[in-house]
Amino acid sequence: MAQEDSIVERFCTPYGFPETDADRGAFSEAQELFFPFEGRNLSGVSMGEGKTVLLVHGWGSRASHMILLVKTLAKAGFRAVAFDGPSHGKSRIKDRPDRSNMFEFCRAVSAVGQCVSPLFGIVGHSFGAATAAFTVAGLKLLADAKISAERLALISPPSGVDGMVAHFCRRTGEEKRLAELKEGLERDYHFTIADYSVSAALKDIRARLLNVHDEEDDEVPVSDALALKQACPDARLVLTRGSGHQRILGNRTMLRAVKDFLSAP
């Protein structure tokens, strides 16, 4: 495995956002849930009644950051289920390093999805959008984790693992170590980065598809969304403006687009 403090381990360590009072109170009206996952429990919530929609947060994020989506969908007549991924939020384990990886995250999406099945829809943001797509497709090494959903909404999805790695190196000023990081990830997790693109996953998915992206996203460029539309023309694309990568989770156009997409016959 990778050496302590290597670039691979830093890549696999969620940078996280400090928990706020808003996070702590976000789900005061929701039902608390716990999902068994690989010898531990993942913390989650359920709100509303109706067809089940699973929400998947991004890397370094937490379920509470998707509270407006949860409330919007619950009000629209859905059962909205959200959870904190491995090493994130309330699913963190004391006295253990806060590390995870794409494969573990996808297995977690699969485990939670199976616990609340049948799934009508899945809504993922950023890294969570990519892992949702990979899991629904059962892409490559994730064949055993494959789950089904009728509709899949992606919010600000990266192009794939290649895009995630490139963004990490830009954010940390490690552009010169891009090749080293790619080689280390492929060696440690026994996969080929080029095989894990969102466009490849969507081509193997029968679910109805929606992609929402902000034109001013400075983490995942809007060009990724346009390229995804070109590769998967059947996926509906909705563009927002002025929210960027994180604040899109509170964007009214996004909330309405996801609600209408899931509510449409």
Side-chain angles (χ1 to χ4, degrees), residues 184-204:
L185 287 169
E186 291 184 331
R187 178 189 64 246
D188 288 358
Y189 295 102
H190 311 291
F191 77 118
T192 300
I193 286 175
D195 288 341
Y196 290 83
S197 71
V198 173
S199 61
L202 296 189
K203 290 177 181 179
D204 290 334

Side-chain angles (χ1 to χ4, degrees), residues 7-8 11 161-169 177-194:
I7 192 169
V8 171
F11 179 79
V161 178
D162 193 73
M164 299 176 199
V165 172
H167 170 67
F168 172 84
C169 288
R177 301 183 68 183
L178 177 62
E180 176 189 348
L181 177 55
K182 286 183 175 182
E183 291 170 3
L185 287 169
E186 291 184 331
R187 178 189 64 246
D188 288 358
Y189 295 102
H190 311 291
F191 77 118
T192 300
I193 286 175

Side-chain angles (χ1 to χ4, degrees), residues 54-57 66 122-126 128-130 132 152-157:
L54 177 63
L55 292 94
V56 186
H57 67 74
M66 305 186 83
I122 303 178
V123 181
H125 173 240
S126 189
L152 177 62
L154 309 178
I155 304 169
S156 312

Side-chain angles (χ1 to χ4, degrees), residues 43-66:
S43 177
V45 295
S46 174
M47 185 180 292
E49 297 181 359
K51 295 179 179 178
T52 300
V53 178
L54 177 63
L55 292 94
V56 186
H57 67 74
W59 185 254
S61 186
R62 62 182 70 224
S64 56
H65 291 176
M66 305 186 83

Side-chain angles (χ1 to χ4, degrees), residues 77-248:
F78 294 97
R79 180 196 183 202
V81 175
F83 71 101
D84 287 334
S87 295
H88 288 72
K90 293 182 179 179
S91 295
R92 296 170 62 186
I93 300 176
K94 292 182 180 179
D95 302 322
R96 283 184 54 176
D98 289 331
R99 295 195 187 102
S100 186
N101 59 75
M102 178 190 74
F103 296 106
E104 182 180 53
F105 218 92
C106 288
R107 296 195 305 272
V109 172
S110 178
V112 175
Q114 290 178 57
C115 284
V116 299
S117 66
L119 284 177
F120 174 70
I122 303 178
V123 181
H125 173 240
S126 189
F127 172 81
T131 56
F134 295 159
T135 308
V136 174
L139 193 65
K140 298 293 182 178
L141 296 177
L142 296 165
D144 290 341
K146 184 174 182 177
I147 56 175
S148 297
E150 295 182 35
R151 302 189 186 187
L152 177 62
L154 309 178
I155 304 169
S156 312
S159 59
V161 178
D162 193 73
M164 299 176 199
V165 172
H167 170 67
F168 172 84
C169 288
R170 288 195 304 271
R171 182 176 63 83
T172 59
E174 301 272 22
E175 290 92 341
K176 294 182 179 180
R177 301 183 68 183
L178 177 62
E180 176 189 348
L181 177 55
K182 286 183 175 182
E183 291 170 3
L185 287 169
E186 291 184 331
R187 178 189 64 246
D188 288 358
Y189 295 102
H190 311 291
F191 77 118
T192 300
I193 286 175
D195 288 341
Y196 290 83
S197 71
V198 173
S199 61
L202 296 189
K203 290 177 181 179
D204 290 334
I205 291 175
R206 294 184 179 180
R208 194 179 300 183
L209 302 168
L210 170 69
N211 182 14
V212 186
H213 210 107
D214 195 84
E215 293 181 355
E216 299 174 20
D217 192 323
D218 60 355
E219 293 188 30
V220 180
V222 69
S223 57
D224 281 15
L226 300 177
L228 187 60
K229 175 64 175 177
Q230 186 173 13
C232 305
D234 290 338
R236 184 186 176 206
L237 174 62
V238 174
L239 296 178
T240 63
R241 178 184 289 273
S243 291
H245 190 73
Q246 299 295 342
R247 288 187 295 111
I248 193 172

